[in-house]
Amino acid sequence: MIIFILAALVLLMIQGGLSQAFGLTGNTVLLFGLSAIFYSKKNPLTISLVLGLMMDLASGLPDGIFLVAAPVTIFSLKSALNRFFSKRDQRYIEFLLVLASVLTFYLISISMIGLFNLLNLSAYVNWKRLIFDKLWLDLVLSAIFYYPVVWYHNRTLKLSRHARPV
Amino acid sequence: MRFIYTKTFRRLFVVLVLVAFIIVSDAKGYLSKAKGIFFEVYGAGTSFISNSAAKTKNFFATFLLIKGLSHENDLLKQKVDELAFENARLKAAKQENQTLRRALNFAEETELGLIPAVVKFLDPTGFTQTLMLDVATDAELKLNAAVVSQPGLLVGKITNIYDNAVEVTLITDPSIKINGIVVDSGASGLVTGEHGLSLRFDLITHNEVIKPGDKILTSGLAGDFPKGILIGEISSLSSSPSELFQKAFVQPAADLRNLKFLFIVAQ
């Protein structure tokens, strides 16, 4: 778990650094969490909470927004995956789920920001810019960034099948 | 079994308490120290990655720039070849011209005596279109002498001479007025500055034909500027048939934003 947290922290740093240098904004930390949930059975609740807390700390928003948004997103997607797609080939559906997770994450985050505003916790954001500008870019970047994860997973699956004794 | 006794409920309850605790702690400022440590670590890491990414970006940008320079170099080489041919042709024409002048007893054209100068600084306020030149102390300088860049492109004229510097007013200053002549059609008019942006070619009669792309030289009529120095190129026409004279905008031939070495015409 410590290695996972450190890896997530490094990924968050990379995301922040690249955002400063190139202006790229893809939410790689969320993708990291999703891939961990899809491909690993290890404590998804803790993983999503840690990721949410990290995003909260790194952002200028009050703590708690991503702490709620990340677990809700990840668990709703995990639930959808288990309920509807568990017995099918997940390679292509995963992309759809990733895009859906980005969309869900945005919707929940914006809802949480609205809730924080109601509680006078000063969480102002330009939601129009978020929805009409940043969201679309994030969707595209998430699909691009997630491709290597799926590719690597498929490759390791094939290798493990070949290695299986007859 | 009731839901409240399930493991899921217990987990959910713990998470909700944790989230509430973090929200309240943050709102009250209890997490400031922990956040400070996180910001130190995250900030250091992010700045390291950002700097590394910026260096990489600059490296590739330089690479692309070099690639572009190579292409530009090829184009310039081609241009040099063309100009070398043109130069040889013009030299032959010049020789023929001199021979004919001698035959007709015309006065010989004098060569431009050029005094080299280095640009010291530009007007930092931007209120005027002037620059200061560093010139050799033994140079014989005259007020209103023309200043050109190396290929014979008009830059401005001397408006003040100090002990260790010379003030030059650029041709884009509205106070400068130059008698110009269009190379192709021979149309003459007055070139004036347009507040540092471009030049205006005015007082051209309607029977003269001017068009964008035409080059304008100094006509040498007023005496300040010697004849035959390139002022610029007509970028667009701005006159209507109802006006008394034709007008045009002129793009200066010299790159006035990037001046380093200049020459004072000591003719």
Side-chain angles (χ1 to χ4, degrees):
Chain A
M1 185 55 74
I2 291 168
I3 292 169
F4 179 88
I5 291 167
L6 286 174
L9 183 63
V10 169
L11 198 63
L12 195 66
M13 285 172 181
I14 291 169
Q15 187 181 311
L18 292 180
S19 175
Q20 276 180 30
F22 300 107
L24 286 172
T25 54
N27 196 343
T28 50
V29 181
L30 182 68
L31 295 178
F32 183 58
L34 284 170
S35 57
I37 301 291
F38 288 152
Y39 299 125
S40 167
K41 305 287 178 194
K42 285 180 184 174
N43 209 351
L45 184 66
T46 316
I47 289 171
S48 57
L49 280 173
V50 169
L51 290 177
L53 184 63
M54 276 186 188
M55 281 191 269
D56 262 335
L57 291 171
S59 72
L61 294 166
D63 291 350
I65 291 170
F66 299 123
L67 195 63
V68 174
V72 170
T73 306
I74 287 171
F75 273 92
S76 56
L77 267 297
K78 186 179 163 63
S79 166
L81 185 72
N82 289 336
R83 186 163 294 190
F84 303 112
F85 307 114
S86 58
K87 290 185 175 64
R88 295 181 195 177
D89 189 357
Q90 294 180 5
R91 273 179 290 181
Y92 305 107
I93 290 162
E94 269 177 26
F95 274 106
L96 192 67
L97 283 173
V98 165
L99 298 180
S101 73
V102 174
L103 199 64
T104 314
F105 183 74
Y106 267 78
L107 290 175
I108 295 168
S109 299
I110 290 169
S111 308
M112 285 299 296
I113 288 163
L115 186 67
F116 270 58
N117 276 328
L118 285 175
L119 296 169
N120 289 325
L121 283 169
S122 62
Y124 174 78
V125 292
N126 188 349
W127 63 270
K128 280 183 184 170
R129 188 190 69 83
L130 278 179
I131 291 174
F132 297 115
D133 187 11
K134 196 175 175 296
L135 172 62
W136 305 106
L137 185 66
D138 257 16
L139 285 171
V140 174
L141 287 174
S142 300
I144 293 168
F145 291 152
Y146 200 71
Y147 179 76
V149 178
V150 177
W151 176 81
Y152 180 76
H153 178 64
N154 290 337
R155 192 166 170 272
T156 47
L157 266 181
K158 280 176 193 167
L159 285 174
S160 63
R161 275 176 201 152
H162 285 300
R164 197 179 295 158
V166 181
Chain B
M1 192 164 64
R2 282 185 178 180
F3 180 65
I4 55 168
Y5 299 118
T6 58
K7 200 177 173 183
T8 311
F9 177 78
R10 264 184 284 157
R11 278 186 178 179
L12 199 64
F13 180 74
V14 170
V15 168
L16 285 174
V17 169
L18 185 71
V19 168
F21 172 75
I22 288 172
I23 291 170
V24 173
S25 303
D26 184 46
K28 293 282 179 189
Y30 300 145
L31 292 176
S32 55
K33 276 191 179 178
K35 274 183 140 180
I37 294 164
F38 179 82
F39 290 152
E40 284 287 320
V41 176
Y42 178 75
T46 307
S47 62
F48 172 74
I49 291 161
S50 174
N51 290 338
S52 306
K55 277 178 189 170
T56 314
K57 188 179 159 185
N58 289 339
F59 172 76
F60 284 107
T62 311
F63 183 73
L64 287 172
L65 183 73
I66 290 166
K67 200 181 168 187
L69 285 176
S70 170
H71 178 65
E72 193 182 340
N73 194 31
D74 290 342
L75 287 174
L76 288 173
K77 272 181 183 170
Q78 193 183 344
K79 193 80 181 172
V80 164
D81 290 343
E82 286 172 17
L83 288 173
F85 170 71
E86 182 76 13
N87 194 28
R89 205 172 60 82
L90 287 173
K91 270 183 181 169
K94 186 183 175 185
Q95 207 170 7
E96 187 185 316
N97 186 20
Q98 281 173 343
T99 310
L100 289 170
R101 273 175 182 276
R102 278 191 215 110
L104 293 167
N105 287 327
F106 268 33
E108 292 279 334
E109 279 187 356
T110 52
E111 293 290 330
L112 299 173
L114 299 178
I115 301 165
V118 180
V119 176
K120 273 184 158 181
F121 56 87
L122 294 159
D123 176 16
T125 64
F127 277 71
T128 61
Q129 298 279 311
T130 57
L131 53 86
M132 288 289 179
L133 293 183
D134 192 7
V135 192
T137 48
D138 58 342
E140 287 183 16
L141 302 170
K142 288 177 187 170
L143 211 62
N144 294 327
V147 178
V148 295
S149 62
Q150 197 167 10
L153 312 177
L154 190 63
V155 169
K157 71 174 185 180
I158 295 176
T159 44
N160 265 312
I161 301 170
Y162 302 102
D163 287 345
N164 55 355
V166 172
E167 185 193 87
V168 174
T169 302
L170 299 177
I171 52 172
T172 45
D173 191 286
S175 65
I176 301 279
K177 289 177 178 28
I178 315 156
N179 281 291
I181 185 165
V182 177
V183 174
D184 292 339
S185 64
S188 59
L190 199 67
V191 180
T192 50
E194 278 278 299
H195 304 287
L197 300 170
S198 62
L199 303 167
R200 194 176 56 187
F201 192 31
D202 206 346
L203 300 176
I204 312 149
T205 53
H206 275 286
N207 55 358
E208 307 277 12
V209 179
I210 54 167
K211 59 183 185 303
D214 280 351
K215 289 191 167 36
I216 300 172
L217 302 175
T218 51
S219 65
L221 283 175
D224 282 357
F225 299 99
K227 189 182 173 185
I229 299 173
L230 185 63
I231 301 168
E233 192 180 288
I234 293 176
S235 55
S236 63
L237 305 176
S238 67
S239 56
S240 63
S242 60
E243 288 178 33
L244 197 59
F245 293 104
Q246 294 188 79
K247 289 176 190 169
F249 287 109
V250 176
Q251 188 65 35
D255 184 5
L256 302 176
R257 289 170 298 180
N258 191 23
L259 298 169
K260 186 73 182 167
F261 301 103
L262 297 175
F263 294 90
I264 297 163
V265 178
Q267 180 184 298

